[in-house]
């Protein structure tokens, strides 16, 4: 089991920045990949960014150049730095941990709300 707790969400104006944090209950070295996903009301949960155990990253086209995923292995923490925020970024953001190919190896945090509005 991996417990994930997100924090750092809130209300921000367009063009502003937020940094989301995800605290994991296991060493990041033991997890194949970490990721951030987001879900707006009535919509599916979409991938935002991923970070593999080896350190490679991948981003959704909609956030590329604006968002950065990073980690602190010593603290078992994963971060999502969000810059130049747009109203369409408004969603609940979820931290994800993938420890294997099975559904039961896929873990989710409780989510943190990000609202981008003037």
């Amino acid at each position: 089991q991996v417990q994930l707790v997100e924090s750092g969400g809130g209300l921000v104006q367009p063009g502003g920045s937020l940094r989301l944090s995800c605290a994991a209950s296991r060493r990041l070295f033991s997890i194949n990949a970490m990721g951030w996903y987001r879900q707006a009301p009535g919509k599916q949960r979409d991938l935002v960014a991923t970070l593999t155990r080896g350190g490679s990253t991948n981003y959704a086209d909609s956030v590329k150049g604006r968002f950065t995923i990073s980690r602190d292995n010593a603290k078992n923490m994963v971060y999502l730095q969000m810059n130049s925020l747009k109203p369409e970024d408004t969603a609940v953001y979820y931290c994800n941990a993938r420890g294997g190919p099975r559904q039961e190896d896929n873990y989710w945090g409780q989510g943190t709300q990000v609202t981008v509005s003037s």
Side-chain angles (χ1 to χ4, degrees):
Q1 280 285 337
V2 181
Q3 283 76 52
L4 304 170
V5 180
E6 304 99 328
S7 62
L11 175 64
V12 63
Q13 292 185 343
S17 297
L18 285 173
R19 190 179 77 158
L20 306 183
S21 299
C22 175
S25 64
R26 274 170 39 182
R27 295 173 60 206
L28 299 186
F29 184 81
S30 71
I31 302 172
N32 288 337
M34 299 292 297
W36 288 95
Y37 291 70
R38 66 187 182 187
Q39 186 170 25
K43 299 186 180 298
Q44 68 178 16
R45 187 174 298 183
D46 293 327
L47 183 147
V48 176
T50 59
L51 175 63
T52 70
R53 183 169 57 195
S56 63
T57 60
N58 190 54
Y59 297 92
D61 288 341
S62 59
V63 307
K64 196 171 299 181
R66 300 188 296 121
F67 291 10
T68 303
I69 188 171
S70 62
R71 67 188 177 194
D72 185 335
N73 288 337
K75 296 181 178 180
N76 294 344
M77 296 287 291
V78 177
Y79 307 98
L80 183 69
Q81 178 67 46
M82 305 185 294
N83 299 325
S84 301
L85 283 162
K86 305 174 181 179
E88 50 263 44
D89 296 319
T90 296
V92 176
Y93 283 70
Y94 295 90
C95 184
N96 170 259
R98 187 154 55 253
R102 303 174 302 171
Q103 184 174 358
E104 55 264 39
D105 298 324
N106 199 34
Y107 303 95
W108 297 93
Q110 84 289 347
T112 186
Q113 176 71 48
V114 172
T115 302
V116 184
S117 177
S118 60

